[in-house]
Amino acid sequence: MIVDIERKLIPLRKKLQEHKIYKSIKSIEDIRLFMEQHVFAVWDFMSLLKQLQNQLSCTQVPWRPSGNPEAARLINEIVWGEESDLNRKGIAMSHFEMYLESMKSLGANTKAIKELQHRLKKGQTIDQALEETNLPLHILSFLRFTFEVVNTRKNHIIAAVFTFGREDLIPDMFIEIIKNLTVPKGEDLSDLIYYFERHIEVDADEHGPMALKMVTNLCEGNIDKITEALAYSKRALELRIGLWDGILKEIEKPLLAKP
C-alpha cells in the first residue's frame, strides 16, 4: 500500500523538514549561495519527469496508444505545468527557467549550471559532463542518483522518487524557506517569492495528489514494486538531506572563518 510507503518515510521527511538550513538563510548572500547549488535539483527534476512521460505516453512517430491512458494523462498534466507554466509577468516558461530568472534578478551566479548544460548540448553524456565539472560532492551525489533512477527505466521506481523524493516534498521545503526569509533592504525578491509561491500552489494542490495517484497506479499493489519504490524513495530523501547538509556547510563557512 502507498500509505505504508508514506508512513515509513515519515522519519526522513521529518528530518528534512526540520533541517537547520531553513533558518540559516538570512542574508542576500545566503540566498544567492543556496540558489546557485539548489538550481541543480530544480534542473534534474525535469529528467525524472520527462523519462516518465517518455515511458508512460507515446512521444514517438508514428504514434501508438501507450497502454496506460490514466498514467499518461497524469504525467502529461504534470509536464504541462512544469515545462510551460506562466511566470509572474504572464510569459510561458518552465519552472527551471523561472528559477534562472529569479537567480539573475538577485545577482546569483548561473555559470556552473550553464556549463553543465553546455557540455550536454555539445553531446557529452551526463556521466562525462559530471566527471569534468568541478561541482561539490553533495551536488554530484545528488545528480548521479537521479540519473541512476532514470536509467532503471522502471516506472514505479521513477514515479516514487519523483513523488516522495521530490514532488511531494517541494511545498513543505519552500514554505519553510519563505517563513524564515528576511527581505534585504533594497533587494527585489519578487521573482524568487513568486517561484516559491507558485510551487506551493501547484504542487500542494495539484501535482502532489496527481503524483501519488500515479505511483499507486504503477505499483499495482505488487509487493515487489512497493518494496523497490520504498527503497529508492528512502535513498532520494537521504540524498536530499545530504544536499541540504552540503549547502548548509557552504553557508556557514564565512561564519566559521570569523575570529
Side-chain angles (χ1 to χ4, degrees):
M1 295 287 292
I2 301 305
V3 173
D4 291 332
I5 295 180
E6 291 185 288
R7 178 175 54 81
K8 290 174 181 177
L9 293 177
I10 287 173
L12 285 170
R13 287 179 59 94
K14 190 171 187 294
K15 187 174 180 180
L16 190 56
Q17 290 162 1
E18 295 175 353
H19 201 283
K20 186 181 173 183
I21 194 170
Y22 303 117
K23 294 183 179 179
S24 297
I25 299 174
K26 298 175 181 177
S27 69
I28 189 67
E29 291 78 15
D30 295 340
I31 297 169
R32 289 182 186 129
L33 192 153
F34 171 81
M35 296 183 78
E36 288 164 7
Q37 301 202 20
H38 176 242
V39 67
F40 289 93
V42 178
W43 168 75
D44 79 333
F45 167 85
M46 289 301 298
S47 290
L48 292 169
L49 179 61
K50 298 302 284 189
Q51 183 75 330
L52 282 171
Q53 186 184 38
N54 289 340
Q55 294 179 190
L56 295 175
S57 65
C58 183
T59 57
Q60 299 175 330
V61 177
W63 178 86
R64 65 184 185 280
S66 68
N68 192 338
E70 183 178 10
R73 178 182 176 84
L74 289 168
I75 197 62
N76 283 330
E77 285 193 35
I78 295 173
V79 168
W80 177 77
E82 295 288 344
E83 196 171 32
S84 54
D85 202 357
L86 299 177
N87 72 0
R88 70 187 185 94
K89 298 174 185 175
I91 300 170
M93 62 176 62
S94 67
H95 285 183
F96 171 68
E97 289 165 312
M98 279 189 210
Y99 201 82
L100 286 181
E101 184 178 64
S102 62
M103 287 180 72
K104 291 174 185 174
S105 71
L106 284 175
N109 193 332
T110 59
K111 182 180 177 181
I113 185 64
K114 286 185 175 178
E115 180 189 349
L116 178 59
Q117 291 182 298
H118 178 67
R119 289 180 180 278
L120 295 171
K121 190 174 182 180
K122 284 197 308 180
Q124 288 189 344
T125 65
I126 185 64
D127 289 336
Q128 289 171 331
L130 293 179
E131 187 69 29
E132 295 180 19
T133 56
N134 191 31
L135 294 173
L137 182 59
H138 54 275
I139 295 177
L140 286 174
S141 298
F142 190 86
L143 293 175
R144 284 173 176 147
F145 173 71
T146 295
F147 289 95
E148 175 191 333
V149 170
V150 166
N151 290 331
T152 67
R153 303 188 67 83
K154 292 184 176 182
N155 292 332
H156 61 285
I157 289 176
I158 302 170
V161 169
F162 175 85
T163 302
F164 300 116
R166 309 295 283 270
E167 189 74 5
D168 193 37
L169 284 173
I170 286 170
D172 293 328
M173 293 191 305
F174 289 166
I175 286 170
E176 285 301 314
I177 291 174
I178 287 177
K179 274 167 49 179
N180 294 291
L181 202 61
T182 301
V183 179
K185 188 175 180 180
E187 295 287 349
D188 184 5
L189 301 185
S190 301
D191 287 335
L192 177 61
I193 291 173
Y194 177 85
Y195 172 85
F196 284 167
E197 290 179 339
R198 185 64 181 146
H199 259 292
I200 292 168
E201 177 185 355
V202 172
D203 293 329
D205 298 338
E206 300 172 27
H207 292 178
M210 288 166 64
L212 285 169
K213 188 175 181 181
M214 180 171 59
V215 176
T216 302
N217 176 298
L218 295 172
C219 283
E220 304 173 306
N222 182 298
I223 189 63
D224 292 333
K225 289 184 177 181
I226 292 171
T227 300
E228 280 191 313
L230 174 61
Y232 274 87
S233 297
K234 281 183 176 179
R235 286 183 63 197
L237 290 174
E238 288 164 355
L239 282 159
R240 173 69 76 166
I241 291 168
L243 179 68
W244 265 204
D245 288 343
I247 297 175
L248 179 61
K249 284 182 181 178
E250 294 294 319
I251 290 173
E252 290 179 337
K253 271 183 182 177
L255 297 175
L256 296 173
K258 289 182 180 179

Coordinates of all heavy atoms in Angstrom, one line a residue, residues 19 21 33-34 37 136-139 239-253:
H19 N 15.3 20.6 9.0 CA 16.8 20.8 8.7 C 17.1 22.3 9.1 O 16.4 23.2 8.9 CB 17.1 20.6 7.3 CG 18.5 20.3 7.0 ND1 19.4 21.3 6.9 CD2 19.2 19.2 6.7 CE1 20.6 20.8 6.7 NE2 20.5 19.5 6.6
I21 N 19.0 24.2 7.7 CA 19.3 25.1 6.5 C 18.2 26.2 6.4 O 18.5 27.3 6.0 CB 19.4 24.3 5.2 CG1 20.0 25.3 4.1 CG2 18.1 23.7 4.8 CD1 20.3 24.5 2.8
L33 N 23.8 31.9 -2.6 CA 24.6 30.7 -2.5 C 23.6 29.5 -2.5 O 23.9 28.5 -3.2 CB 25.4 30.6 -1.2 CG 26.5 29.6 -1.1 CD1 27.6 30.0 -0.1 CD2 25.9 28.2 -0.5
F34 N 22.5 29.5 -1.8 CA 21.6 28.5 -1.8 C 21.1 28.2 -3.2 O 21.0 27.1 -3.7 CB 20.4 28.8 -0.9 CG 19.2 27.9 -1.0 CD1 19.2 26.7 -0.3 CD2 18.1 28.2 -1.8 CE1 18.2 25.8 -0.5 CE2 17.1 27.3 -1.9 CZ 17.1 26.1 -1.3
Q37 N 23.4 26.4 -5.8 CA 23.5 25.0 -5.6 C 22.2 24.2 -5.8 O 22.2 23.2 -6.4 CB 24.2 24.7 -4.3 CG 25.6 25.4 -4.2 CD 26.5 24.7 -3.2 OE1 26.3 23.6 -2.8 NE2 27.5 25.5 -2.7
P136 N 30.6 20.4 -6.2 CA 30.8 19.8 -4.9 C 30.2 18.4 -4.9 O 29.3 18.1 -5.6 CB 30.1 20.7 -4.0 CG 29.9 22.0 -4.7 CD 29.8 21.7 -6.1
L137 N 30.8 17.6 -4.0 CA 30.4 16.2 -3.9 C 28.9 16.0 -3.6 O 28.2 15.1 -4.1 CB 31.2 15.4 -2.8 CG 30.9 14.0 -2.6 CD1 31.1 13.2 -3.9 CD2 31.8 13.4 -1.5
H138 N 28.3 16.9 -2.7 CA 26.9 16.8 -2.4 C 26.0 17.0 -3.6 O 24.9 16.4 -3.7 CB 26.5 17.7 -1.2 CG 26.8 19.1 -1.4 ND1 28.1 19.7 -1.1 CD2 26.1 20.2 -1.9 CE1 28.1 21.0 -1.4 NE2 26.9 21.3 -1.8
I139 N 26.4 17.8 -4.5 CA 25.6 18.0 -5.8 C 25.9 16.8 -6.7 O 24.9 16.3 -7.3 CB 26.0 19.3 -6.4 CG1 25.6 20.5 -5.5 CG2 25.3 19.5 -7.8 CD1 26.0 21.9 -6.1
L239 N 19.6 11.5 0.2 CA 20.5 12.4 -0.7 C 20.0 13.8 -0.6 O 20.8 14.7 -0.8 CB 20.5 11.8 -2.1 CG 21.5 10.6 -2.2 CD1 21.1 9.8 -3.4 CD2 22.9 11.1 -2.2
R240 N 18.7 14.1 -0.5 CA 18.2 15.5 -0.3 C 18.8 16.0 1.0 O 19.2 17.2 1.0 CB 16.7 15.5 -0.4 CG 16.1 16.8 0.0 CD 16.4 17.9 -1.1 NE 15.5 17.6 -2.2 CZ 15.3 18.5 -3.2 NH1 15.9 19.7 -3.2 NH2 14.5 18.2 -4.2
I241 N 18.8 15.2 2.0 CA 19.3 15.7 3.3 C 20.8 16.0 3.1 O 21.3 17.0 3.6 CB 19.1 14.6 4.4 CG1 17.6 14.6 4.7 CG2 19.9 15.0 5.7 CD1 17.2 13.4 5.6
G242 N 21.5 15.1 2.4 CA 22.9 15.3 2.1 C 23.2 16.6 1.3 O 24.1 17.3 1.5
L243 N 22.3 16.9 0.4 CA 22.4 18.1 -0.4 C 22.2 19.3 0.5 O 23.0 20.3 0.4 CB 21.3 18.1 -1.5 CG 21.3 19.4 -2.4 CD1 22.6 19.5 -3.3 CD2 20.0 19.4 -3.3
W244 N 21.2 19.3 1.4 CA 21.0 20.4 2.3 C 22.2 20.5 3.3 O 22.6 21.6 3.6 CB 19.7 20.1 3.1 CG 18.4 20.7 2.6 CD1 17.3 20.9 3.4 CD2 18.1 21.1 1.3 NE1 16.3 21.5 2.6 CE2 16.8 21.6 1.4 CE3 18.8 21.2 0.1 CZ2 16.1 22.2 0.2 CZ3 18.1 21.7 -1.0 CH2 16.8 22.2 -0.9
D245 N 22.7 19.4 3.7 CA 23.9 19.4 4.6 C 25.1 20.1 3.9 O 25.8 21.0 4.5 CB 24.4 18.0 5.0 CG 23.4 17.3 6.0 OD1 22.6 18.0 6.6 OD2 23.5 16.1 6.1
G246 N 25.3 19.8 2.7 CA 26.4 20.4 1.9 C 26.2 21.9 1.7 O 27.2 22.7 1.8
I247 N 25.0 22.3 1.4 CA 24.7 23.7 1.1 C 24.9 24.5 2.5 O 25.4 25.6 2.5 CB 23.3 23.9 0.5 CG1 23.3 23.3 -0.9 CG2 23.0 25.4 0.4 CD1 21.9 23.3 -1.5
L248 N 24.4 23.9 3.5 CA 24.5 24.5 4.9 C 26.0 24.7 5.2 O 26.3 25.8 5.7 CB 23.8 23.6 5.9 CG 23.9 24.1 7.4 CD1 23.2 25.5 7.5 CD2 23.3 23.1 8.3
K249 N 26.8 23.8 5.0 CA 28.3 24.0 5.3 C 28.8 25.1 4.5 O 29.6 25.9 5.0 CB 29.0 22.7 4.9 CG 28.8 21.6 5.9 CD 29.7 20.4 5.6 CE 29.5 19.2 6.6 NZ 30.2 18.0 6.2
E250 N 28.4 25.3 3.2 CA 28.9 26.4 2.4 C 28.4 27.8 3.0 O 29.1 28.7 3.0 CB 28.4 26.3 1.0 CG 29.0 25.1 0.2 CD 30.5 25.3 0.0 OE1 30.9 26.4 -0.3 OE2 31.2 24.2 0.2
I251 N 27.1 27.8 3.5 CA 26.6 29.0 4.1 C 27.3 29.4 5.4 O 27.5 30.5 5.7 CB 25.1 28.8 4.3 CG1 24.3 28.8 3.0 CG2 24.5 29.9 5.2 CD1 22.8 28.5 3.2
E252 N 27.7 28.3 6.1 CA 28.3 28.6 7.4 C 29.8 28.8 7.3 O 30.4 29.3 8.3 CB 28.1 27.3 8.3 CG 26.6 27.2 8.8 CD 26.4 26.0 9.7 OE1 27.2 25.0 9.6 OE2 25.5 26.0 10.5
K253 N 30.4 28.6 6.2 CA 31.9 28.9 6.0 C 32.3 30.3 6.4 O 33.2 30.4 7.2 CB 32.3 28.6 4.6 CG 32.7 27.1 4.3 CD 33.2 27.0 2.9 CE 33.5 25.5 2.6 NZ 34.0 25.3 1.2

